[in-house]
Amino acid sequence: MAGTAVLGRLTWLVADVAGSVEETPRVRTLLLDAEGLVDHRPGQHLDVRLTAEDGYQAQRSYSIASAPGEQLAITVERLTDGEVSPWLVDEAHDGDRFEVRGPIGGYFVWEDDGRPVFLVGGGSGVVPLMAMIRSSSGSARMRLLYSSRTLEDVIYRGELAEHDGHGVEVFYTLTRAQPPGWTGYSRRIGVDLLREVAWPATERPQVFICGSTRFVDAAADGLVELGYEPESIRTERFGATG
Ligand SMILES: Cc1cc2nc3c(=O)[nH]c(=O)nc-3n(C[C@H](O)[C@H](O)[C@H](O)COP(=O)(O)OP(=O)(O)OC[C@H]3O[C@@H](n4cnc5c(N)ncnc54)[C@H](O)[C@@H]3O)c2cc1C
């Protein structure tokens, strides 16, 4: 029943930490068991709620990193002085519990309609895009343009290397420092870089852009300048930083 499904998504559920993966020095993936959570669509997020011993609660949103049907995963970047992310990255252990509700979001969601898919991610903004890549497993034509500060900050580096060339073309730009012999880009994302990487607007790709507000605005403005229809560009903003 549709009403039940909606109610189900709004209910807080217990999530157990079932494992974790160190992605970068600042980023960790948490594998979660959340009984009762309905399956998600690639691009959706969860609300996470932590409750302290004195009853104080803090709530934040985290994109679902896993593909539908896979072990549920979120990937969190530690923000220094942040309230929730340092706990999730540094303190959460296997067997710890917190609450989640979701999956949430009906707009920043990829559905394969046969068109090519252009993904643009900045920092941890790659997380919902990774869910799309994992869901596609080579069936759709995808291109990812991924901006990180340094190579060490690239999340999912090993897995992206495996996907690269198998339905997904991956382009990196490292904006702060590049290792010796770096052959990728080193510029911030703007119209010039987009012109080199994006498909021509005439191919009418679906576009998903995710990152900090400033990053998302720069990428979306650049694509509109290249002739992309604003309606073809879906954006998700993680916050003001970055
Ligand atoms: C739809 C959605 C999906 C998201 N998905 C992800 C994801 O997949 N991965 C991910 O890592 N994040 C994601 N985020 C961001 C996430 O929700 C949190 O905002 C992030 O983890 C920071 O939370 P925090 O509690 O650690 O930091 P907060 O305590 O909220 O602080 C955020 C920043 O503000 C600064 N700050 C805090 N208080 C002050 C103050 N008083 N004055 C000045 N500066 C201050 C902190 O230093 C920090 O840098 C997502 C956000 C949205 C909206």
Side-chain angles (χ1 to χ4, degrees):
M1 215 169 80
T4 314
V6 169
L7 196 65
R9 282 201 291 275
L10 295 176
T11 306
W12 288 102
L13 299 166
V14 174
D16 289 287
V17 178
S20 67
V21 180
E22 214 68 51
E23 303 284 1
T24 79
R26 297 192 302 144
V27 176
R28 188 152 78 126
T29 291
L30 295 180
L31 308 175
L32 303 175
D33 288 336
E35 203 178 319
L37 197 77
V38 301
D39 213 358
H40 65 284
R41 296 185 290 155
Q44 288 188 301
H45 67 272
L46 295 176
D47 283 343
V48 167
R49 184 164 74 177
L50 306 184
T51 305
E53 277 172 19
D54 65 2
Y56 173 77
Q57 292 188 319
Q59 183 185 320
R60 299 288 184 277
S61 301
Y62 292 98
S63 300
I64 300 174
S66 43
E70 287 180 353
Q71 165 88 53
L72 182 67
I74 58 171
T75 300
V76 182
E77 177 181 13
R78 181 199 315 110
L79 295 190
T80 317
D81 305 329
E83 192 174 33
V84 170
S85 62
W87 188 84
L88 292 171
V89 175
D90 300 326
E91 308 289 339
H93 296 296
D94 289 12
D96 280 345
R97 295 183 146 187
F98 48 82
E99 289 171 290
V100 297
R101 72 176 175 191
I104 297 170
Y107 161 75
F108 197 81
V109 166
W110 174 59
E111 268 160 31
D112 192 359
D113 63 0
R115 286 192 288 158
V117 188
F118 186 41
L119 310 170
V120 187
S124 55
V126 75
V127 176
L129 311 182
M130 194 66 205
M132 298 176 192
I133 291 171
R134 286 170 168 161
S135 306
S136 161
S137 58
S139 64
R141 236 169 18 117
M142 290 186 161
R143 222 171 245 188
L144 169 67
L145 174 57
Y146 181 12
S147 175
S148 307
R149 290 175 190 157
T150 70
L151 191 60
E152 200 184 40
D153 293 308
V154 172
I155 307 170
Y156 312 129
R157 203 161 112 202
E159 190 180 342
L160 282 173
E162 284 170 26
H163 285 288
D164 198 4
H166 299 94
V168 192
E169 296 169 88
V170 185
F171 299 84
Y172 296 97
T173 184
L174 303 179
T175 54
R176 198 161 289 179
Q178 305 79 33
W182 175 246
T183 54
Y185 293 101
S186 51
R187 282 176 271 158
R188 284 181 175 275
I189 289 178
V191 68
D192 293 333
L193 181 45
L194 289 164
R195 187 178 287 113
E196 290 179 38
V197 175
W199 280 288
T202 47
E203 294 218 22
R204 305 193 63 250
Q206 294 195 58
V207 182
F208 295 89
I209 306 173
C210 185
S212 67
T213 298
R214 208 174 37 173
F215 175 89
V216 167
D217 288 345
D221 290 349
L223 287 172
V224 170
E225 212 175 313
L226 291 178
Y228 277 59
E229 297 286 337
E231 304 77 54
S232 69
I233 302 173
R234 277 174 263 189
T235 60
E236 182 109 286
R237 293 167 166 81
F238 276 5
T241 54

